[in-house]
Amino acid sequence: MSPAACAARVDRLSTVEGDQVGLCESHLPQHLARLVRSIEGEVVPLLARGTRVDPDAALQPDDLDRFIEFTLAPGDAGWLEMVGQLRERGVPVELIYLDLLAPAARRLGEMWEQDLVMFSDVTVALGRLHRIMRGLSPSLGHDLHVPVEGRRALLLPAPGEQHTFGLSMVAEFFRHAGWEVVCELDSRSIDPVRRVRREWFDVVGVSVGVDARLDWLREGVTMMRRASRNRGLAVLVGGPVFALHPERAAEAGADGTARDAREAPELASRLVAAKAGRR
């Protein structure tokens, strides 16, 4: 396939197992690498210290290997049955999200790099990960707390970013913490400055995968604050750019960065409360 044809395929969105995935075979290694780095940087958790998990409700050592085999196998029966068994065993949805789906995406990237899987197989497997995450979404968290304030969050990737799995997971944690969430997964479909000028948001969260987006981020944060209907807009950033260097968040003009998806809504709530207290 010529570079021009490949680029054209990347620009078009194709539907895979109900998910929109803009992938070309020669671009898949970069896509997977970004996805894996995104998951590691903003999704894979340090589970809450002191939390006790029933041994029967924890993931077993071979669960990940079996799960990956099922996601790569023909048909849906294997992974559907396994996810159902995990839920019957009492495995919390948070553990499935963070200790199964995220590592599975990382392993798929490694398998692709080692030429152990084909392009079509990885594409279908990634679509299944998205389906599982959406299917489990109503069960994430035991109590859905909707705050009186009706807080709203706008979550989006930096321009040119293609990884969205981590951002989707962050959105789920916000929703189940009681936030109204607008999550834009295609950076080409949204003008964040126009959006915050037109609608009220308490928080904007931006996912950044590579250093090259930092220049846009600095300018974008400034423009969003100036245009926002909310003079106390809080801005969060996440992704591998900030995982090892959280100080870069302040350098980019953001208010903070969360270590993982679970921490993001908690940090956002603290920032919103602090800004309201200063007004």
Side-chain angles (χ1 to χ4, degrees), residues 79 116 162 184 202 241 246 272:
W79 63 264
L116 299 176
Q162 294 185 20
E184 298 286 352
D202 299 278
V241 168
V272 170

mmCIF file of all heavy atoms in Angstrom, residues 79 116 162 184 202 241 246 272:
data_model
loop_
_atom_site.group_PDB
_atom_site.id
_atom_site.type_symbol
_atom_site.label_atom_id
_atom_site.label_comp_id
_atom_site.label_asym_id
_atom_site.label_seq_id
_atom_site.Cartn_x
_atom_site.Cartn_y
_atom_site.Cartn_z
ATOM 1 N N TRP A 79 -14.696 -14.756 25.569
ATOM 2 C CA TRP A 79 -14.504 -13.597 26.448
ATOM 3 C C TRP A 79 -15.789 -13.194 27.145
ATOM 4 O O TRP A 79 -15.767 -12.706 28.276
ATOM 5 C CB TRP A 79 -13.875 -12.425 25.701
ATOM 6 C CG TRP A 79 -14.666 -11.844 24.566
ATOM 7 C CD1 TRP A 79 -14.552 -12.130 23.246
ATOM 8 C CD2 TRP A 79 -15.677 -10.815 24.662
ATOM 9 N NE1 TRP A 79 -15.424 -11.375 22.499
ATOM 10 C CE2 TRP A 79 -16.120 -10.558 23.355
ATOM 11 C CE3 TRP A 79 -16.233 -10.111 25.723
ATOM 12 C CZ2 TRP A 79 -17.108 -9.623 23.062
ATOM 13 C CZ3 TRP A 79 -17.217 -9.171 25.448
ATOM 14 C CH2 TRP A 79 -17.650 -8.930 24.128
ATOM 15 N N LEU A 116 3.571 -11.574 16.677
ATOM 16 C CA LEU A 116 2.859 -12.759 17.139
ATOM 17 C C LEU A 116 1.383 -12.737 16.757
ATOM 18 O O LEU A 116 0.699 -13.756 16.884
ATOM 19 C CB LEU A 116 2.985 -12.890 18.662
ATOM 20 C CG LEU A 116 4.411 -13.056 19.198
ATOM 21 C CD1 LEU A 116 4.409 -13.076 20.727
ATOM 22 C CD2 LEU A 116 5.044 -14.334 18.650
ATOM 23 N N GLN A 162 -4.531 9.839 18.659
ATOM 24 C CA GLN A 162 -5.445 8.795 18.211
ATOM 25 C C GLN A 162 -5.829 7.826 19.314
ATOM 26 O O GLN A 162 -6.799 7.085 19.184
ATOM 27 C CB GLN A 162 -4.820 8.017 17.051
ATOM 28 C CG GLN A 162 -4.642 8.845 15.800
ATOM 29 C CD GLN A 162 -4.126 8.013 14.642
ATOM 30 O OE1 GLN A 162 -4.247 6.793 14.645
ATOM 31 N NE2 GLN A 162 -3.546 8.663 13.662
ATOM 32 N N GLU A 184 -15.124 13.788 24.070
ATOM 33 C CA GLU A 184 -14.905 13.830 22.632
ATOM 34 C C GLU A 184 -13.663 13.009 22.303
ATOM 35 O O GLU A 184 -12.556 13.361 22.701
ATOM 36 C CB GLU A 184 -14.706 15.283 22.177
ATOM 37 C CG GLU A 184 -15.910 16.188 22.416
ATOM 38 C CD GLU A 184 -17.033 15.920 21.434
ATOM 39 O OE1 GLU A 184 -16.810 15.151 20.479
ATOM 40 O OE2 GLU A 184 -18.126 16.491 21.613
ATOM 41 N N ASP A 202 -17.128 22.820 34.506
ATOM 42 C CA ASP A 202 -16.327 23.037 35.705
ATOM 43 C C ASP A 202 -14.882 22.615 35.485
ATOM 44 O O ASP A 202 -13.970 23.200 36.075
ATOM 45 C CB ASP A 202 -16.916 22.253 36.882
ATOM 46 C CG ASP A 202 -18.323 22.696 37.215
ATOM 47 O OD1 ASP A 202 -18.472 23.711 37.923
ATOM 48 O OD2 ASP A 202 -19.270 22.049 36.749
ATOM 49 N N VAL A 241 2.951 11.746 28.848
ATOM 50 C CA VAL A 241 3.807 12.924 28.943
ATOM 51 C C VAL A 241 3.972 13.354 30.397
ATOM 52 O O VAL A 241 5.023 13.869 30.804
ATOM 53 C CB VAL A 241 3.231 14.079 28.096
ATOM 54 C CG1 VAL A 241 3.941 15.386 28.401
ATOM 55 C CG2 VAL A 241 3.362 13.750 26.605
ATOM 56 N N PRO A 246 5.153 14.882 36.380
ATOM 57 C CA PRO A 246 3.912 15.604 36.691
ATOM 58 C C PRO A 246 4.100 17.116 36.778
ATOM 59 O O PRO A 246 3.126 17.861 36.633
ATOM 60 C CB PRO A 246 3.496 15.016 38.047
ATOM 61 C CG PRO A 246 4.739 14.400 38.617
ATOM 62 C CD PRO A 246 5.532 13.930 37.442
ATOM 63 N N VAL A 272 -12.058 22.137 41.890
ATOM 64 C CA VAL A 272 -13.266 22.955 41.727
ATOM 65 C C VAL A 272 -13.639 23.610 43.059
ATOM 66 O O VAL A 272 -13.984 24.792 43.116
ATOM 67 C CB VAL A 272 -14.431 22.111 41.186
ATOM 68 C CG1 VAL A 272 -15.732 22.889 41.241
ATOM 69 C CG2 VAL A 272 -14.137 21.686 39.743
#
